[in-house]
Amino acid sequence: MLHLWIEAAGELETDPLTLMEEREKKERGIMGQDQEEGGKTEGQPANMNSQDSMTENEENCVELCTEVEEKGKEKGMEEGELKKEIELEAEVKLELCQSIPGLQMSLIRGTDLFGYVGIEAILDQMKRKTMKAGFEFNIMVVGQSGLGKSTLVNTLFKSKVSRRSNYEEKISKTVKLHSVSHVIEEKGVKMKLTVIDTPGFGDQINNENCWEPIVKYINEQYEKYLREELCVNRKRRIPDSRVHCCIYFLPATGHRLRPIDVEFMKRLGKIVSIVPVIAKADTLTIEERQEFKERIRHDLVANGIHVYPQKEYDEDPEDHILNNRIRENIPFAVVGTDKEHQVNGNKVLGRKTKWGIIEVENVEHCEFACLRDLLIRSHLQDLKDVTHNIHYETYRVRRLTESNMDFGELGLPTWPLENGTRDKCESESHL
Amino acid sequence: SRIRPLSLAGHVGFDSLPDQLVNKSTCQGFCFNILCIGETGIGKSTLMDTLFNTNFENFESSHFEPQVKLRAQTYDLHESNVRLRLTVVNTVGFGDQMNKQESYQPVVDYIDRQFESYLQEELKIKRSLHNYHDSRVHACLYFISPSGHSLKSLDLVTMKKLDSKVNIIPVIAKADTISKSELHKFKIKIMSELVSNGVQIYQFPLDDETVAKVNTTMNGHLPFAVVGSTEEVSIGNKMVKARQYPWGVVQVENENHCDFVKLREMLICVNMEDLREQTHTRHYELYRRCKLEEMGFKDTDPECKPVSLQQTYVAKRQEFLVELQKREDEMRQMFVQRVKEKEAELKEAERELQTRFEQLKRLHADEKAALEEKKRLLEEDQSSFSKRRAAAQLLQAQSLTANGKKDKDRKK
């Protein structure tokens, strides 16, 4: 639709009358679409949780029940005749709002429009605004040294976003977190990518509590965001440093989860979205890989570990089916590289060995492409949403209850009602 | 802090991010709330019907409403794959009262109530903001009467009260009663009056290059002179929305006849999202800030050191509890006092009753004594009387027998 828009804006300068012509074009397009679909005229009462969300807000108001039945009849498409005749039968029950004097509410569902309005233009408007504002994404990689964490992230984002550790450096005594940010752009979409590395994890002789610095870091980011959100004078856009995704690297032992894996994922699965991957998967044959994955999935379930995408957060049946397919395939077995080689006349990313070239983006060789598609091409926004709507909210609930901060207690002034019913209303809001 | 830009060696795929975001929003649906302020009969409902190409439920309001009321109606509209939850709020009885001093108040109250509702949800411990039905007013269409002269004082007062709370888009209603030249002068007069009174109406945004040009042009056409109609008239070989007069046909969607198309473009097709964003990031934030400051929350204390909300909250809570305790004590004291007073009153009454009782008793005893005395006297009288009667009877009897003897003696 974007190109239509630029057309319209350009034409506006020269000839204002063509605005109507554009609309007619669009209307024809929409109506044509509807003709193909056989005219979607059924009201959709099931989708919108209108009833519930209404009752949440105005408890004393009762919305009406409407049965809107529309029968779409289509007349032949004469030249210039673009209207669809729709018969509307609406049964409307109106109940006056009891607590708020002078306010009447009624709710009608599934009203269909007699013609093109232009509401769908909001999608473009939203897209433009978000592209202008840019995006932020924070990804954390956790795993022992030498599992290829930095290489994988560089392969994912096709650039040197993560600094590969210097081989001569000593292994650090504690887990240190190291975050690096870059701005990357693709087709007009700007993204501030932050990669948080965790050198030293799992490298000690005694690895007890090695997850603590990581848990601390994640909670600190939530805390930062919470503080900004609670300010009286808030920023227009609160900078988001919360960890949206944590990739956990499992060494390709071929056996099952180790105690450190279980401990880490158990604890962190509760506060962040974990995506486990099998690192350096080119040491496993396909059969070994399948068995390994099955055993890992079994171990995850046995230990009550929830990894992304979590079953409980599936929003609708479509999501559920899609995510089930993903859940049947995790953890993804990946191979990373930044070197290119010639295969069949094409340049591909791959690792060259004496026995062949492992093509990173070939789904028959490894599952890197699946991981990339999941993380970036299809579920990136969902990762951010899950972090914001679920993990962050969980943290917030915990913090506010800890500090005993219930704003309802302070008697947040409720709306003054007539005839001294204010006291009654205040007491109700405490419930 | 400077963040290095990095170039990509190939196609990564995050260019689909805006689409991912938009898809999610499409699944959830959008909310849009319009408030129409205007006198009774000025054409608010008709304009809404025309704008959204549908037939909303409309009630004809009377002109005799004692107070301004607001009527809100919510509709689910579907267009291709977009679901819009539209709430249309109309004023009822605006401009009908004799005394219009308080006419703006119900409107301000309504807008504030929606902000308050959102704020309360936002401050809840367990909240669900992404499922929340946003009822905050995103756009306010102010209908100006087509007098052709200037704004009424009611218009100025109302708009001034609303300009920091909502995006105001003024429209000239029933524009088919004004000629083109009068309209031009009228628009200039209106805009200059708004400016001189410091009323900030909504300006179509100029920051996005794609729409900056069209928005600039449209900003110059404000206020839009609109005509609404859901009836159709045949012009040439097409049916168009129009109003038919004996002297001609006013076509709603003809830009030479009125600015309806411009209004629809600006309100819906180009700036709907911006209206929503401004409401959330500017008007709502202002409300929230004022509300929290009212409650005593600040970001910095008098020494300008940052104060955490928790500190303030804990302090406020202490204050509140102390205040509560004080009031409780006061009430208890007052209660005890009143009880004492009542007791004293009752005792006093008791005593009074007792005295009266005693008094009456004495009176009664006195009277009884008096009566007894009388009785005694009466009895004395009676007894002396009966004695005398007995004596008299005796005498009589004696005299009778004496007389009888005498008679007897005579006869012998």
Side-chain angles (χ1 to χ4, degrees), chain A residues 201-260:
Chain A
F201 178 83
D203 289 336
Q204 268 53 275
I205 291 185
N206 183 357
N207 285 310
E208 271 177 10
N209 302 329
C210 60
W211 49 80
E212 276 175 6
I214 299 176
V215 171
K216 183 157 161 279
Y217 177 86
I218 293 176
N219 285 333
E220 268 169 17
Q221 308 317 306
Y222 289 147
E223 182 68 26
K224 235 193 261 185
Y225 194 90
L226 181 64
R227 276 186 195 272
E228 287 287 344
E229 201 193 8
L230 288 178
C231 270
V232 175
N233 270 312
R234 296 199 284 207
K235 297 200 178 95
R236 205 159 230 245
R237 222 181 138 201
I238 300 177
D240 191 359
S241 60
R242 301 171 293 186
V243 177
H244 300 127
C245 172
C246 173
I247 308 186
Y248 186 72
F249 286 72
L250 299 163
T253 62
H255 295 176
R256 49 187 349 124
L257 289 180
R258 305 162 300 159
I260 189 178

Side-chain angles (χ1 to χ4, degrees), chain A residues 5 12-13 16 19-20 23-24 33 44 47-48 50 53-54 57 92 94 100 102-123 125-132 135 156-161 181-187 189 192 227 229-234 236 372 376-382 385 389 392-393 396-397 403-407 409 412-413 415, chain B residues 3-22 24-26 30 51-55 57 59 69-80 82-85 109-110 112-113 116 120 122-125 127 130 132-133 207-208 210-211 213-214 238 253 255 261 264-265 268-274 277 281 284-285 288-289 293 295 297 299 308-310 313 317 320:
Chain A
W5 255 127
L12 263 169
E13 297 162 51
L19 203 63
M20 279 308 292
R23 290 186 57 85
E24 282 171 13
Q33 220 178 30
Q44 298 165 22
N47 289 0
M48 297 273 257
S50 37
S53 62
M54 280 307 216
N57 300 334
V92 168
L94 221 181
I100 303 170
L103 184 69
Q104 298 149 293
M105 286 201 65
S106 66
L107 177 69
I108 294 186
R109 273 184 263 237
T111 313
D112 219 345
L113 305 170
F114 297 135
Y116 182 72
V117 175
I119 295 173
E120 53 153 20
I122 196 176
L123 297 178
Q125 296 170 30
M126 197 179 240
K127 228 188 267 191
R128 268 184 283 125
K129 272 195 184 283
T130 51
M131 278 179 63
K132 188 148 181 283
F135 299 88
L156 268 174
F157 291 99
K158 294 220 160 75
S159 56
K160 289 211 166 20
V161 284
S181 298
H182 296 276
V183 171
I184 47 182
E185 183 177 334
E186 194 168 64
K187 298 222 179 110
V189 178
K192 176 170 165 235
R227 276 186 195 272
E229 201 193 8
L230 288 178
C231 270
V232 175
N233 270 312
R234 296 199 284 207
R236 205 159 230 245
R372 179 202 51 205
I376 301 176
R377 295 189 186 171
S378 59
H379 283 66
L380 204 153
Q381 186 57 42
D382 188 56
D385 286 344
N389 294 331
Y392 169 70
E393 287 296 315
R396 182 179 174 276
V397 168
S403 336
N404 278 321
M405 278 174 84
D406 186 351
F407 288 93
E409 249 187 14
L412 200 71
W415 204 254
Chain B
I3 299 173
R4 297 187 338 252
L6 215 57
S7 56
L8 303 172
H11 181 236
V12 175
F14 62 87
D15 55 336
S16 65
L17 200 47
D19 286 314
Q20 292 180 34
L21 183 63
V22 167
K24 274 195 173 261
S25 304
T26 316
F30 299 89
L51 261 178
F52 289 99
N53 256 331
T54 184
N55 220 330
E57 267 183 21
F59 306 92
K69 293 204 297 244
L70 281 96
R71 181 184 287 129
Q73 285 159 302
T74 308
Y75 308 91
D76 281 352
L77 304 177
H78 299 243
E79 186 173 81
S80 52
V82 177
R83 280 177 9 220
L84 182 74
R85 176 165 282 180
D109 288 348
Y110 177 84
D112 279 346
R113 253 205 305 275
E116 183 67 31
Q120 294 210 7
E122 199 191 5
L123 288 178
K124 273 197 196 149
I125 292 192
R127 61 190 187 177
H130 65 288
Y132 180 77
H133 167 59
D207 49 355
D208 183 350
T210 335
V211 293
K213 269 222 177 87
V214 63
K238 282 203 288 191
E253 284 172 316
E255 290 195 65
V261 171
R264 186 174 53 193
E265 276 302 300
I268 302 176
C269 306
V270 178
N271 297 306
M272 198 193 269
E273 183 61 23
D274 186 69
E277 192 182 294
T281 57
Y284 169 71
E285 283 297 311
R288 177 181 177 275
R289 194 161 51 233
E293 282 175 356
M295 282 168 61
F297 289 100
D299 284 332
S308 85
L309 201 76
Q310 184 183 359
Y313 178 86
R317 188 165 180 274
F320 181 72

Side-chain angles (χ1 to χ4, degrees), chain A residues 350-391:
Chain A
R351 280 174 65 78
K352 191 164 182 192
T353 64
K354 285 249 157 53
W355 45 92
I357 296 180
I358 303 151
E359 294 165 45
V360 165
E361 280 170 322
N362 186 337
V363 291
E364 294 188 4
H365 290 197
C366 76
E367 294 174 323
F368 170 82
C370 302
L371 178 71
R372 179 202 51 205
D373 289 347
L374 172 72
L375 279 189
I376 301 176
R377 295 189 186 171
S378 59
H379 283 66
L380 204 153
Q381 186 57 42
D382 188 56
L383 279 163
K384 291 177 64 172
D385 286 344
V386 167
T387 307
H388 180 64
N389 294 331
I390 298 168
H391 296 302

Side-chain angles (χ1 to χ4, degrees), chain A residues 333-359:
Chain A
V334 295
V335 173
T337 185
D338 51 5
K339 297 205 172 50
E340 285 183 335
H341 303 273
Q342 289 275 36
V343 172
N344 296 336
N346 296 326
K347 255 197 167 170
V348 292
L349 277 174
R351 280 174 65 78
K352 191 164 182 192
T353 64
K354 285 249 157 53
W355 45 92
I357 296 180
I358 303 151
E359 294 165 45

